[in-house]
Amino acid sequence: MFEFSWPWLFLLLPLPLILLLLKPAANDANTRLRIPSFASHNLSNQSIEPSARKLNIIEWLLWLLLVTASANPTWLDEPISLPNEGRDIMLAVDLSGSMTEQDMAYNGQYVDRLTMVKAVLSDFIEQRQGDRLGLILFGDTAFLQTPLTRDVKTVSKMLSEAQIGLVGRATAIGDALGLSVKRFASKKESNRIVVLLTDGQNTAGNLNPEDALLLAREEGIKVYTIGVGSDNSRGFSLFNMGSGGSNLDEGLLKKIAEQTGGLYFRAKDVAGLQQIYAELDKLEPISADEQTFRPKTALFYYPLLLAILLISAMALIKTVRAMKEPN
């Protein structure tokens, strides 16, 4: 369907004519006084006024094109139904210094923990079509990187760009869980799920994990916790030189999962991290009001381009005529 975003702008079409009609008659007299040479060409007053008080067809066409472009012509495609059921999942990913430890086997080689988490989670995110995902990154504190959205490509991109130390080297589990609860405050009618990945224990932040757990329970938010890290430490961490090791607080992660109705997973390798896929797929999606989207295609540049070409052609013709006139 074709429409104009601002059709009222077509009221400006008679504006040039109005301006010409309102032009003071004294201007013509002043013009004749300033150019007395008209008398030598036998030009009467009647021959001057008509040319001064009208626009030619080209100028009217140019004005019509500019007004049409300003009204923003738009083509609306057929309505597209958006997914009306799914889950709301907030991913909370640890970016503390210990996530650089290279003890995770992936594709035949050992990689650091964050690299493995990114690789597996990116696949997980791509499979969440119909769900709304959000991303929280935490270290010394927690911050919202991506709010809940169905644009899973953006969430995946934001995760891929996350870097160790972006929010400090410590681990604020309480802040991450508390921020997740806050972001779900207005999402009462949904599967409110938090997937919290960490390889350490709470060592920073403003909110105690116990207090954050209480908030999650009161809001009815289900938390799936994932402890990342191999039992076989290879002894190298970029931020913690020497023996890497794992200070994973499994007791806390299990408690958070159990008391919120979620599950705890130990991700010692890729297979361990992938277990959460099937568990989340078992959750029944929540239906929402059907929403539609109509793709829009802006067309204003067509009349604008024609106006530019018309102006260019008029300028070219004028230049050619001037070159042909004898000096």
Side-chain angles (χ1 to χ4, degrees):
M1 184 178 72
F2 182 80
E3 68 173 21
F4 290 96
S5 299
W6 307 294
W8 54 268
L9 285 175
F10 283 105
L11 296 174
L12 297 176
L13 281 177
L15 182 60
L17 180 61
I18 295 174
L19 293 177
L20 287 174
L21 293 176
L22 295 178
K23 186 178 181 181
N27 288 351
D28 296 330
N30 291 338
T31 302
R32 290 194 296 271
L33 289 175
R34 288 195 298 268
I35 313 178
S37 58
F38 281 159
S40 62
H41 295 283
N42 296 321
L43 294 177
S44 64
N45 293 344
Q46 287 77 13
S47 65
I48 297 175
E49 290 185 1
S51 63
R53 289 184 173 273
K54 69 178 182 180
L55 297 177
N56 60 44
I57 187 64
I58 300 299
E59 292 171 329
W60 276 115
L61 178 59
L62 179 59
W63 177 245
L64 175 61
L65 290 172
L66 292 176
V67 172
T68 302
S70 300
N72 193 26
T74 304
W75 176 261
L76 293 178
D77 290 334
E78 292 300 318
I80 298 175
S81 296
L82 297 176
N84 66 339
E85 63 177 18
R87 311 165 186 86
D88 286 340
I89 304 174
M90 186 65 72
L91 303 174
V93 180
D94 186 356
L95 293 184
S96 61
S98 56
M99 289 290 284
T100 60
E101 187 170 344
Q102 298 180 355
D103 64 346
M104 306 300 291
Y106 181 72
N107 287 343
Q109 60 182 342
Y110 281 99
V111 298
D112 63 78
R113 295 168 178 174
L114 182 60
T115 297
M116 193 272 287
V117 167
K118 286 181 177 181
V120 179
L121 269 188
S122 62
D123 183 46
F124 169 77
I125 291 171
E126 290 178 1
Q127 297 183 33
R128 298 300 98 201
Q129 299 297 329
D131 294 339
R132 285 185 297 186
L133 298 184
L135 178 62
I136 289 176
L137 304 176
F138 66 97
D140 291 350
T141 186
F143 74 93
L144 181 69
Q145 181 74 343
T146 308
L148 287 169
T149 176
R150 296 189 191 275
D151 185 1
V152 294
K153 290 185 178 180
T154 296
V155 178
S156 181
K157 178 177 174 57
M158 291 297 101
L159 176 63
S160 67
E161 294 178 352
Q163 300 295 327
I164 298 294
L166 184 63
V167 281
R169 303 181 183 181
T171 309
I173 296 176
D175 282 8
L177 183 54
L179 181 57
S180 300
V181 173
K182 181 179 179 181
R183 300 305 303 182
F184 277 131
S186 60
K187 306 290 182 181
K188 299 297 182 182
E189 301 298 328
S190 70
N191 286 118
R192 297 184 294 171
I193 301 166
V194 175
V195 179
L196 191 149
L197 301 94
T198 182
D199 70 338
Q201 55 187 316
N202 192 76
T203 58
N206 300 313
L207 185 62
N208 187 287
E210 299 290 342
D211 295 333
L213 172 57
L214 181 60
L215 292 174
R217 290 175 56 188
E218 290 178 349
E219 292 292 331
I221 296 173
K222 188 175 293 187
V223 184
Y224 289 81
T225 55
I226 302 176
V228 181
S230 172
D231 289 333
N232 182 22
S233 174
R234 302 184 68 246
F236 177 77
S237 175
L238 180 62
F239 286 99
N240 301 302
M241 297 299 183
S243 59
S246 176
N247 295 318
L248 183 64
D249 189 349
E250 288 193 281
L252 174 63
L253 299 181
K254 290 179 179 178
K255 181 178 180 180
I256 292 174
E258 292 173 358
Q259 294 193 13
T260 59
L263 292 173
Y264 168 71
F265 298 88
R266 179 64 192 275
K268 300 179 182 180
D269 49 28
V270 173
L273 190 55
Q274 289 176 332
Q275 291 181 38
I276 197 172
Y277 288 8
E279 293 299 329
L280 291 179
D281 285 335
K282 293 178 183 178
L283 296 175
E284 182 179 355
I286 295 294
S287 297
D289 294 335
E290 184 175 0
Q291 299 181 357
T292 59
F293 169 71
R294 301 195 69 173
K296 292 184 178 182
T297 303
L299 304 175
F300 71 91
Y301 45 85
Y302 287 111
L304 184 60
L305 179 60
L306 288 175
I308 294 174
L309 292 176
L310 186 58
I311 293 174
S312 301
M314 292 173 63
L316 180 61
I317 293 173
K318 185 177 180 180
T319 302
V320 172
R321 286 179 177 177
M323 294 176 62
K324 290 182 178 181
E325 290 180 358
N327 296 329

